Amino acid sequence: MKLTSSTIYLSKKAFLNNIRFLKSFAPNSKFFPVVKSNAYGHGLKEVVSIVDDYVDGYCVHSTDEALEINTNNPILILGHINKSEKELIEILKTKELYFTVYSEQTVDLLEKIAGKVNKKISLFVKVETGTHRLGLDEKDALSLAERIEKSNLLNFSGFSTHFANIEDTTDHSFAKKQMEIFNRVIGEFNQKGVYKHNACSAALMLFEETRTEIVRPGISFYGYYPSRETIVSLNSKGYNRKNGLKPALSWITKPLQIKKVKAGEYIGYGLTYRANRDMVIAVLPVGYSDGYDRGLSNNGFVLVEGKRCPVVGRVCMNLFMVDVTHVERVSVDDDVVLIGKSGEEEITADTLASLTGTINYEVIARLNPYIQKKIID
Ligand SMILES: *Cc1c(COP(=O)(O)O)cnc(C)c1O
């Protein structure tokens, strides 16, 4: 009797391959993979346990994620503080956190906390270079950096920024302009030797100038290319994809029930599928609450015994049905691959993303954290 609905398998081999590949672009940079949003849906605790000896630190979005990480490596908060002062003091006693700041109030708060924990806190100032997400304009960034430098409780570690238009295009003129602004700010700062970082996956792989003291790849660490445009740009630089990234995650389930459906009968809510022949279907214990998008209704497919089996009817909250008529001797013991390889076939997050009109990032980031994880090879 099986007890779980589905399982996410994490390949240690794939993670180590991806780290090796990405580090080859920037062998002298500190490698801080981004593990926000439950490690892009892969499971924060499990991913950290796999890679902790092979990385220099981690990037997360907020302080509550930093709290979940069991590591002696430093953790860089890219976004914001969402823990109370008291909780932050507790976290800082055992963990080395680097903060990204873009307001005087946050700097004041961190200075106060540094006084209480009796430990210098490291801060990076985020520079607005054209993304208009987090960050301060040139002048304000410089004056906040000077404010931090004056404090003997705070460590001014450097500047960071984030690119707006690097994976959506093969025209990288906007990214170059952002890089110029970023470099100008650093040039104007009175102190030499501060760190700077701006390399997401696409930047790291495409632009030498972004391979600075720290790099912060996300999607590529998990084995995915940020976009088709990035692949095209990489190809034009003569690089061979075969030796590159390998998806680290597979998502597998088993049928709850196999049943026959007669020609003319319907399948699922809304009667959106009607059998035009006698068929055999498998009912699977996965639904949109697990992160299997409802947009895959009558649209997606799974793999059983190396064969593509289309989704028939609507994806429900906890269940969906697939056509397994063409799979011989199908049973409830068969592995059903939602993401991963089976025989010659493969479904990746890119496959599901293109079927549902989104990007691979969203497909994996929305995998329900409750899905159990197993580490393989
Ligand atoms: C998410 C994120 C990254 C990682 O981007 P990828 O495209 O996944 O490599 C890097 N930096 C910041 C600020 C981010 O928010």
Side-chain angles (χ1 to χ4, degrees), residues 268-269 286-289 292 297 314-321:
Y269 287 133
V286 171
Y288 56 77
S289 73
Y292 199 82
S297 301
R314 288 213 182 122
V315 174
C316 318
M317 194 180 292
N318 304 110
L319 300 164
F320 73 97
M321 286 69 84

Side-chain angles (χ1 to χ4, degrees), residues 21-81:
F21 177 70
L22 293 168
K23 276 188 175 175
S24 73
F25 288 94
N28 301 319
S29 306
K30 292 203 157 104
F31 190 77
F32 275 55
V34 182
V35 294
K36 64 194 179 195
S37 299
N38 194 34
Y40 286 47
H42 288 59
L44 180 56
K45 287 206 166 88
E46 291 81 5
V47 169
V48 168
S49 80
I50 294 171
V51 304
D52 206 39
D53 290 340
Y54 306 91
V55 303
D56 301 302
Y58 300 96
C59 297
V60 295
H61 176 65
S62 56
T63 44
D64 60 345
E65 295 174 316
L67 188 63
E68 298 294 312
I69 299 182
N70 182 15
T71 184
N72 292 321
N73 287 319
I75 303 166
L76 168 60
I77 320 287
L78 300 171
H80 69 290
I81 296 170

Side-chain angles (χ1 to χ4, degrees), residues 34 36 40 59 61 78 126 133 161-162 167 198-202 216-222 226 361:
V34 182
K36 64 194 179 195
Y40 286 47
C59 297
H61 176 65
L78 300 171
K126 183 117 190 208
R133 210 168 72 170
T161 194
H162 192 51
E167 49 278 291
N198 54 39
C200 59
S201 298
R216 9 171 259 253
I219 195 81
S220 54
F221 170 65
Y222 304 95
Y361 292 73

Side-chain angles (χ1 to χ4, degrees), residues 136-188:
L136 289 172
D137 288 340
E138 204 165 332
K139 232 176 100 224
D140 294 336
L142 283 167
S143 64
L144 193 64
E146 276 154 23
R147 149 84 180 84
I148 298 166
E149 276 246 295
K150 283 199 198 102
S151 165
N152 31 17
L153 292 166
L154 300 174
N155 234 336
F156 178 65
S157 300
F159 294 101
S160 65
T161 194
H162 192 51
F163 293 109
N165 199 28
I166 200 153
E167 49 278 291
D168 293 279
T169 173
T170 52
D171 169 7
H172 295 113
S173 50
F174 197 83
K176 293 222 161 82
K177 232 186 260 163
Q178 288 190 275
M179 197 72 202
E180 275 166 31
I181 297 172
F182 189 57
N183 284 334
R184 194 165 66 219
V185 174
I186 290 157
E188 278 175 35

Side-chain angles (χ1 to χ4, degrees), residues 84-369:
S84 69
E85 200 179 311
K86 219 170 107 201
E87 287 167 310
L88 269 181
I89 290 171
E90 280 311 302
I91 303 173
L92 281 162
K93 279 184 186 159
T94 56
K95 294 204 159 100
E96 191 181 351
L97 302 188
Y98 301 164
F99 291 86
T100 305
V101 290
Y102 35 86
S103 83
E104 195 116 10
Q105 291 94 304
T106 315
V107 173
D108 293 344
L109 171 72
L110 291 170
E111 188 171 47
K112 189 168 145 210
I113 289 172
K116 288 190 178 160
V117 291
N118 212 0
K119 189 165 144 182
K120 270 198 163 190
I121 299 182
S122 297
L123 311 188
F124 285 90
V125 170
K126 183 117 190 208
V127 185
E128 175 57 71
T129 56
T131 303
H132 293 102
R133 210 168 72 170
L134 295 174
L136 289 172
D137 288 340
E138 204 165 332
K139 232 176 100 224
D140 294 336
L142 283 167
S143 64
L144 193 64
E146 276 154 23
R147 149 84 180 84
I148 298 166
E149 276 246 295
K150 283 199 198 102
S151 165
N152 31 17
L153 292 166
L154 300 174
N155 234 336
F156 178 65
S157 300
F159 294 101
S160 65
T161 194
H162 192 51
F163 293 109
N165 199 28
I166 200 153
E167 49 278 291
D168 293 279
T169 173
T170 52
D171 169 7
H172 295 113
S173 50
F174 197 83
K176 293 222 161 82
K177 232 186 260 163
Q178 288 190 275
M179 197 72 202
E180 275 166 31
I181 297 172
F182 189 57
N183 284 334
R184 194 165 66 219
V185 174
I186 290 157
E188 278 175 35
F189 192 63
N190 56 19
Q191 166 116 354
K192 294 269 168 302
V194 294
Y195 277 25
K196 46 209 176 294
H197 57 88
N198 54 39
C200 59
S201 298
L204 168 63
M205 293 191 279
L206 296 174
F207 297 110
E208 208 176 325
E209 310 93 277
T210 69
R211 299 165 195 158
T212 60
E213 290 82 5
I214 295 176
V215 292
R216 9 171 259 253
I219 195 81
S220 54
F221 170 65
Y222 304 95
Y224 286 101
Y225 292 90
S227 64
R228 274 176 208 279
E229 288 80 356
T230 306
I231 295 171
V232 170
S233 302
L234 276 165
N235 286 344
S236 74
K237 290 181 185 250
Y239 126 106
N240 174 4
R241 196 174 161 191
K242 269 219 178 67
N243 309 317
L245 302 170
K246 306 250 185 307
L249 171 150
S250 341
W251 186 18
I252 291 170
T253 186
K254 287 179 191 290
L256 288 178
Q257 194 185 4
I258 308 283
K259 66 169 57 170
K260 290 185 172 153
V261 175
K262 287 211 178 72
E265 291 183 320
Y266 299 96
I267 298 171
Y269 287 133
L271 316 182
T272 62
Y273 188 92
R274 190 175 194 189
N276 60 9
R277 58 189 158 90
D278 289 353
M279 55 195 288
V280 182
I281 63 167
V283 184
L284 307 177
V286 171
Y288 56 77
S289 73
D290 297 283
Y292 199 82
D293 200 286
R294 191 166 174 276
L296 294 164
S297 301
N298 294 311
N299 179 25
F301 63 95
V302 301
L303 304 174
V304 183
E305 307 273 347
K307 295 201 167 78
R308 292 185 180 207
C309 303
V311 175
V312 283
R314 288 213 182 122
V315 174
C316 318
M317 194 180 292
N318 304 110
L319 300 164
F320 73 97
M321 286 69 84
V322 293
D323 178 5
V324 290
T325 313
H326 54 304
V327 182
E328 280 163 42
R329 288 185 298 277
V330 64
S331 88
V332 292
D333 294 321
D334 276 325
D335 275 347
V336 176
V337 177
L338 310 175
I339 295 178
K341 286 183 184 160
S342 175
E344 303 281 290
E345 293 280 355
E346 182 172 16
I347 296 171
T348 68
D350 292 303
T351 319
L352 299 183
S354 67
L355 287 168
T356 52
T358 184
I359 52 175
N360 53 19
Y361 292 73
E362 188 180 356
V363 169
I364 51 180
R366 294 180 74 187
L367 291 170
N368 191 318

